[in-house]
Amino acid sequence: LDKITGGFQAGELVIFTAETGVGKTLLAQQTRLHACTSGLHTLFASAEMGAEHLLSRDLPTAAGVRRFKLRQPEKLNRDDFGALLEAAAHQCELCRVLDGAVSIARIRRAARQMRNSGGLDLIIIDYDELVEAPGETELDQQRNVAVGSKRLAVEFRIPVIVISQLRKLLKGEDRRQPSLQRLY
């Protein structure tokens, strides 16, 4: 990703957008995990999934254990258990997942706490439409989330990644061509 984009830069707002179910959250999680293993610590603000759910995805990935085995523990073998224990022992204590009712103000408070207690190098917001924001219309609310996210990037001098879904298609719209209206 760094080779394609030139890397994420301080003060930059990056928006990952695509249709529902194509892996935006997975890409964001992998970005967070890669940053952490490189010594860069992330605040992952999830308005969509709980912290426990997100972390339950990370552990099997880090351990090299297929995720379905956590849902069917009778399929775990001794090597799987060992790998899971090893991966759990190396979880980062500086990175944080913020879940529940997410707003730009709450993200800012958590970001300040992280910066003051060991470092903050990246913020990921998943996803924009679920972040609480003022505004009379949905477009006003999303605009306020985008502006607030950019302000976070500038204030903390770090990249901020925002996950956004394309608007669901209305009857008769052409699925082949993404349009600016669908992005809004």
Side-chain angles (χ1 to χ4, degrees), residues 65-132:
V65 173
R66 304 222 22 207
R67 195 167 151 232
F68 81 90
K69 289 184 175 185
L70 291 184
R71 293 183 182 186
Q72 300 172 355
E74 68 277 4
K75 298 197 178 194
L76 289 167
N77 60 39
R78 185 178 297 266
D79 290 338
D80 293 335
F81 278 114
L84 287 167
L85 286 171
E86 180 70 22
H90 291 92
Q91 294 295 305
C92 181
E93 294 181 19
L94 296 177
C95 291
R96 181 168 175 207
V97 176
L98 182 68
D99 64 356
V102 176
S103 67
I104 295 297
R106 185 166 175 234
I107 295 168
R108 178 174 280 110
R109 284 191 301 273
R112 284 184 181 140
Q113 288 173 346
M114 277 187 69
R115 182 184 61 192
N116 294 337
S117 67
L120 174 67
D121 302 291
L122 173 65
I123 296 174
I124 298 175
I125 302 171
D126 185 18
Y127 74 94
D128 64 341
E129 202 170 311
L130 296 178
V131 174
E132 295 176 8

